[in-house]
Amino acid sequence: MAKEHALLSTEIVNRGVESSGPDAGSPTFSVRVRRRLPDFLQSVNLKYVKLGYHYMISHGIYLMTLPVLVVIFGAEIGSLTKEELWQKVWDEASYDLATVLAFFAVLVFTISLYITSRPRPVYLIDFACYLPPEENKVSKEEFITLARKSGKFDEASLAFQSRILQSSGLGDETYMPQSVFAPGVNCATMKEGRAETSQAMFAALDELFEKCRVRPKDVSVLVVNCSLFNPTPSLSAMIVNHYKMRGNILSYNLGGMGCSAGIISVDLARDMLQANPGGYAVVVSTEAVSFTWYGGKRRSMLIPNCFFRSGCSAVLLSNRRRDFRRAKYSLEHIVRTHKGADERSFRSVYQEEDEERIKGLSISRDLLEVGGHALKANITTLGPLVLPFSEQLLFFAALLYRHFFPSKQSKASPPASTSAPYIPDYKRAFEHFCMHAASREVLDHLQRNLDLTDANLEASRAVLHRFGNTSSSSIWYELAYLESKGKVRAGDRVWQLAFGSGFKCNSAVWRAVRRVRKPTRSPWLGSIDRYPIGN
């Protein structure tokens, strides 16, 4: 019971002055009880730590043997003087031509096998983010006004959305398609969905191809992700048709995978490039806001209306070694976590119809808790791959101590601070953080549990305020923010972390191969100087 109580937070909400009834004219208040993210400091699952070290060892064992061989060979050679070594070579060397040729043949074969079997590095050449037109810009006040004029909501639903917006962290310059506010009309039509997604995707791709000086016919892999809008033909087919791409292109369309689908798409594109080396891959991440819009009365389904906004990103990847000179980043790690086996996690973000058969996206009260468990599993697996050795040593030693000498406190009593495991300092592993801008509350919990600074989450909070929750493309708006501020230097590591329905949590780690100059084309042009804003 105490453990369950620790996951709850309370908040007193002023609901204004009662307008009718026996208490008319009196101020009214309500107590809101919410689940908070689980405290990462109190529990770390050992199996995820083992998984992270398995990843590290499976890729590092070959490199670990090389220094050992060098030390042994060096010790043998070091015991001889220069004259002794030269005499030993001439005295014992065999001048059999067959032996010499066999030796060089084995050497060439070994080097060739190593080069061909080693996975090629994947480079990020450049990326582009969609800036919607000015007529789609909607402030929080205009949102409520237009929603009221649409006639789809009663006053209680409007008041609820207004309260959510005030604490959401969104600013007054986010973008939404005007079709969602059309009175008495279902905005989630195939025509509106195609119009919305094609406008965003084609604008982002036009900019990407122009910036990278790449022809659409040069692209060999295309991956598109959009969670809720999945027409036939697919969105990837729409792109192939619009740009008249090659007939043998490997195209994929991912649907229903939530806000973390952008990293999943990058992972798929990487695998396709490794299987088909020497080409370009384009990853497009977007969401159709008209299909996330809900015009009913159920409050759990009204929440997405307040957060989701228009956005799209297009990324160009390559594993051609000659592209290293013009690439911005190289992909180092991708770690994916899926909690779909747990029923609460599976239903935490769920598309369904309400009592009036109005379709919408339902957000569970358990979302923060299940999201916290997914985040904890993901970052625990990621730690051994990216953390400095000193941090790993402290963390692993504390974890073993906690595992073999567990606390003898009763389950009802809160754990002492001394029994909490050592949580590594992820600020020592990364210079930049691009964490999915879901809401202000989620970012607050992440900052507290991971001990991040305001500067670490500056990009995430700026994107949430300027563009809202743009779903799977939000992490690319955050990277665009860092570039527009001129913060990315050669060797810097960037951590992209996103989570979404299923429930999934995914991480991607990039390393800047050169200093990234301020871009001449960016969605932040004209507004970058206004950020960061005061809390």
Side-chain angles (χ1 to χ4, degrees), residues 342-358:
D342 176 65
E343 190 65 24
R344 286 199 309 162
S345 299
F346 177 73
R347 299 186 66 89
S348 59
V349 181
Y350 203 78
Q351 189 180 23
E352 59 183 348
E353 292 86 10
D354 65 5
E355 297 78 8
E356 300 177 0
R357 302 184 65 82
I358 302 176

Side-chain angles (χ1 to χ4, degrees), residues 243-264:
Y243 290 100
K244 310 305 178 187
M245 290 180 163
R246 67 205 316 186
N248 63 345
I249 188 172
L250 302 175
S251 65
Y252 300 87
N253 200 97
L254 306 183
M257 307 200 77
C259 301
S260 66
I263 295 178
I264 298 174

Side-chain angles (χ1 to χ4, degrees), residues 190-207:
M190 300 303 293
K191 180 180 179 181
E192 292 293 343
R194 284 193 174 96
E196 179 186 351
T197 53
S198 62
Q199 181 184 34
M201 293 190 306
F202 297 158
L205 286 169
D206 288 345
E207 180 181 337

Side-chain angles (χ1 to χ4, degrees), residues 431-443:
E431 285 74 29
H432 308 289
F433 297 79
C434 296
M435 298 195 167
H436 174 51
S439 69
R440 174 187 288 172
E441 185 177 10
V442 169
L443 294 178

Side-chain angles (χ1 to χ4, degrees), residues 2 37-38 41 45 92-94 175 197 247 310 315 347 365 392 395 422 434 448 471 475 503:
L37 281 172
L41 298 176
N45 198 324
E92 299 184 7
S94 174
Y175 301 90
T197 53
S310 299
V315 181
R347 299 186 66 89
R365 293 179 180 270
Q392 294 189 46
F395 171 68
Y422 176 76
C434 296
R448 181 172 64 252
S471 189
I475 54 177
F503 192 88

